[in-house]
Each structure stands twice: as C-alpha cells, then as structure tokens.
Amino acid sequence: MSRPRPVIGYLRTAPRELPQDRPSLDQQRAGIVDAVEENGWVLVSVEQDQRSGRSLRRPGLQRALGACREGSAEAIVVARLDRLTYSPADLAQLMAGAARDGLHIVALKEGLDTAEADSAQSLRIFTEAASWIPSALERAARPLSGRPRGRPSSTPVEVAERIRSMRREGTTLQAICDVLNDEGVP
C-alpha cells in the first residue's frame, strides 16, 4: 500500500479583487480540505496571502514552496490556478522551478495535477509557450533600424544640462521651475 501524499494548501485573495470575481479564503480552504479527504492526501499545512497575484514575492507562497523543497510536502494545492499567479511568465517560472525541485502543483478547478502524465505534458507545452512572451516584448522594445524611438525632447540641451546641474546641487524641482519661469525659459 502506498503512503498518503503530503500536500500544502495555498490560499490567496487580493485587496483590489471584487468578491464576486474570486473565491473567498473560506471557500478556497473548504475546496482544498474536500479534495484532500476525497483523494486520501495528508494536509501538512495551509499558507495564505492577501496580495496581488502579479508577483511571486508573497510570503505565504514562498513558505509553501520552501516546505515542499525541504520535503515536508510533495505538492501545493490551490483552488484555482489564478490563486498562484495571473502572469503566464510567472506561471512558467513557477512550473519550471517545481519540476526542477521535484514538487507538484495541483489546481482543483482546472483538474491539473503535475504529477499526472497528461497534466505534466500540458504544462510543458504551456511553459514553453509562456517563455516566448519575454523575448517578444524584448524585440518590441528595441529601436528599429538603429533609429531612436519616440518623440525627440523639446528641451534644449543646454537647458536640460542646467536643470541636471541644479538638481545635483540640491535645488528642488519647484525652485528650478521658479528660476526658469522668472527668466522666461519655456
């Protein structure tokens, strides 16, 4: 008989999310507890954050990942994939790290469990596609044909240097504006 799978639940809400747009912490916790009981897993702990999903720098998420890396659990279980992150690039980073560290991600709503072959294959494809995003953005940010992009500065070079010099001397922006306005410099 195989041993029960130890998992860590992860819950997240964001201050700016509307209640109708996301499950509450209680709803997320109940869904995770139900899945744990239904699958015969062992719930080692539950971590939570009340922060945006636009960054992976969340203490609860980092504690959950750390506990898995240390061997306390084999997987992180979330009610929905968007509770981990909103960013495809961050999800790709998370999945690559999870695969490297030998831990798994379970997203209940999506029926995703990276320990299962079908889910793992889908995640590999998604991770590869998400890795294309940063390079596309990088290419879009480069100037075309070596030409500068955007509108040229309307501030004469000598005025810009004078402003920088005044700032280095500790002059406030308001004081610089007052001096230039008094002199009639546009």
Side-chain angles (χ1 to χ4, degrees):
M1 186 170 146
S2 66
R3 68 178 178 81
R5 182 182 195 190
V7 299
I8 292 181
Y10 178 71
L11 321 171
R12 184 188 65 77
T13 61
R16 293 187 180 168
E17 284 181 319
L18 299 173
Q20 66 268 21
D21 292 342
R22 50 109 171 121
S24 70
L25 292 174
D26 290 339
Q27 290 169 324
Q28 292 175 59
R29 185 182 311 274
I32 290 170
V33 167
D34 288 349
V36 165
E37 289 174 3
E38 187 176 302
N39 290 289
W41 300 334
V42 175
L43 186 60
V44 174
S45 67
V46 176
E47 296 291 345
Q48 70 181 50
D49 286 306
Q50 188 168 9
R51 293 198 172 177
S52 170
R54 293 190 174 115
S55 167
L56 296 178
R57 291 180 302 222
R58 288 176 261 139
L61 178 59
Q62 293 307 314
R63 283 191 302 271
L65 290 168
C68 286
R69 285 186 199 109
E70 292 167 3
S72 301
E74 295 174 5
I76 296 175
V77 181
V78 292
R80 300 183 341 196
L81 205 49
D82 71 349
R83 300 300 86 198
L84 281 177
T85 183
Y86 292 130
S87 162
D90 284 349
L91 182 60
Q93 177 186 341
L94 233 173
M95 293 302 170
R100 178 190 65 239
D101 297 337
L103 61 107
H104 299 283
I105 304 292
V106 177
L108 301 174
K109 179 182 178 204
E110 292 80 7
L112 172 77
D113 184 343
T114 60
E116 296 175 3
D118 290 347
S119 291
Q121 178 62 21
S122 297
L123 251 318
R124 279 192 290 280
I125 292 167
F126 176 77
T127 301
E128 176 62 26
S131 72
W132 303 336
I133 294 170
S135 60
L137 293 175
E138 185 180 302
R139 280 193 307 276
R142 282 189 223 133
L144 300 173
S145 307
R147 293 177 291 165
R149 296 179 72 178
R151 191 180 80 175
S153 175
S154 61
T155 306
V157 174
E158 61 277 357
V159 173
E161 183 49 46
R162 185 173 173 207
I163 292 168
R164 283 191 283 278
S165 174
M166 293 170 80
R167 282 299 285 160
R168 280 192 298 270
E169 294 169 5
T171 309
T172 66
L173 293 175
Q174 184 61 58
I176 293 170
C177 288
D178 292 342
V179 168
L180 295 176
N181 285 335
D182 289 344
E183 294 174 3
V185 177

